Amino acid sequence: MEPGSRPPAPGAGAGITVTVAEPRWRASVPAVESLARRAAAAAMRAARARGTLALLLADDATLHRLNARHRGKDYATNVLSWPGADGGGDIAIGYGVAAREARAMRRPLARHLAHLVVHGALHCAGRDHEDDRAARRMEREEALVLRRLGVPDPYRGPAR
């Protein structure tokens, strides 16, 4: 899947698709598709966004290629997002980078994945963190959405 390559879904808010292209996601995160879909839907509701989202759970090589092609950055990253015209968009998340980050923060990978999905979905809904004020606002919104999902605030408190 490449960003923008999926056919448009009928109607506003028609759905969220999750493609698991890297098998380690399924091996490491129970019910990974359901978790990703719930996190994306919660973020879209909180942002009052009505568009469709496509999530790609991929490997680092794919994120490296996408990051180079779309951002001119020659490295793998944790999450990339491409806002769509309908208020939704495309999100890609790299397994290796996300797994290393989760281990470094002593957090379960499922919890970190939920955070990355929420972060990407909020970007698709028009949020950014280009300056300190916008970053604080986006972090607060992420924490609120994650709390509704039963996930502790990733910006505060102990890692576990």
Side-chain angles (χ1 to χ4, degrees), residues 24-25 28-29 35 95 98-100 102-103 107-114 116:
R24 291 179 294 174
W25 280 113
S28 301
V29 179
L35 171 68
Y95 179 84
R100 286 188 298 277
R103 274 193 305 276
R107 293 190 176 124
L109 181 56
R111 189 183 295 176
H112 191 48
L113 174 61
L116 294 174

Side-chain angles (χ1 to χ4, degrees), residues 133-145:
R133 185 174 177 195
R136 284 190 304 274
R137 190 171 39 246
M138 189 167 172
E139 287 175 4
R140 282 193 304 270
E141 192 167 12
E142 288 173 14
L144 175 66
V145 171

Side-chain angles (χ1 to χ4, degrees), residues 8 10 69 105 111:
R69 180 180 303 154
M105 293 183 287
R111 189 183 295 176

Side-chain angles (χ1 to χ4, degrees), residues 32-109:
V32 67
E33 292 95 337
S34 175
L35 171 68
R37 196 172 288 109
R38 283 183 297 123
M44 295 297 279
R45 275 193 308 275
R48 294 186 173 92
R50 295 199 166 303
T52 60
L53 284 177
L55 282 81
L56 173 63
L57 303 179
D59 61 8
D60 283 359
T62 300
L63 270 283
H64 187 156
R65 189 182 82 251
L66 292 170
N67 204 21
R69 180 180 303 154
H70 296 281
R71 297 180 61 230
K73 308 287 185 178
D74 189 26
Y75 56 86
T77 189
N78 56 4
V79 60
L80 293 168
S81 58
W82 296 268
D86 66 355
D90 298 318
I91 301 167
I93 300 174
Y95 179 84
V97 174
R100 286 188 298 277
E101 289 172 345
R103 274 193 305 276
M105 293 183 287
R106 297 183 176 157
R107 293 190 176 124
L109 181 56

